[in-house]
């Protein structure tokens, strides 16, 4: 519960998945920004990321290779569970506009 609450709070400031595109709730952080972010979070002893695999591995793969092809082929919204995608509102508007 603590990690989920922390991740919700991070999401409010678009800090939950900083390497994701802005339209999907991220900050489009560079590799160096990710390193600095991780160091600051570790140094402050912040709670770990809830569903880290979804945020750092699975989500970026879907964003890179799956969404554009899917959204163009079907012209419908792609469903990604809320815990995988930090910003549901950003995701919905991006897929609807076919701008991903």
């Amino acid at each position: 519960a603590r990690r989920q609450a922390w991740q919700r709070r991070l999401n409010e400031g678009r800090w939950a998945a900083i390497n994701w595109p802005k339209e999907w709730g991220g900050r489009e952080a560079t590799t160096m920004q990710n390193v600095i972010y991780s160091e600051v979070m570790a140094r402050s002893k912040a709670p770990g990321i809830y569903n880290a695999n979804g945020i750092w591995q699975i989500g970026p793969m879907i964003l890179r290779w799956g969404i554009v092809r899917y959204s163009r082929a079907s012209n419908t919204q792609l469903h990604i569970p809320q815990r995988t995608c930090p910003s549901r509102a950003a995701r919905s508007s991006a897929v609807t506009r076919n701008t991903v």
Side-chain angles (χ1 to χ4, degrees):
R2 179 176 179 239
R3 285 177 30 190
Q4 285 178 322
W6 174 243
Q7 187 148 335
R8 275 191 215 100
R9 190 166 181 195
L10 290 174
N11 182 49
E12 290 169 4
R14 301 172 72 89
W15 290 102
I18 65 169
N19 61 320
W20 286 29
K22 288 180 182 177
E23 64 267 16
W24 284 73
R27 292 178 168 256
E28 297 180 4
T30 65
T31 301
M32 184 53 68
Q33 289 169 328
N34 270 299
V35 169
I36 293 167
Y37 173 80
S38 296
E39 287 178 356
V40 169
M41 296 296 271
R43 203 172 294 144
S44 67
K45 297 184 182 354
I49 294 292
Y50 180 77
N51 190 20
N53 284 339
I55 297 292
W56 298 109
Q57 296 173 346
I58 299 166
M61 284 191 294
I62 292 171
L63 289 173
R64 181 165 185 186
W65 291 294
I67 290 174
V68 173
R69 188 175 9 213
Y70 177 86
S71 64
R72 286 184 184 156
S74 65
N75 201 24
T76 60
Q77 288 188 340
L78 176 62
H79 173 72
I80 300 175
Q82 177 63 31
R83 64 179 167 221
T84 303
C85 182
S87 177
R88 179 173 289 202
R91 180 189 75 238
S92 296
S93 65
V95 173
T96 302
R97 291 189 321 262
N98 287 327
T99 59
V100 179

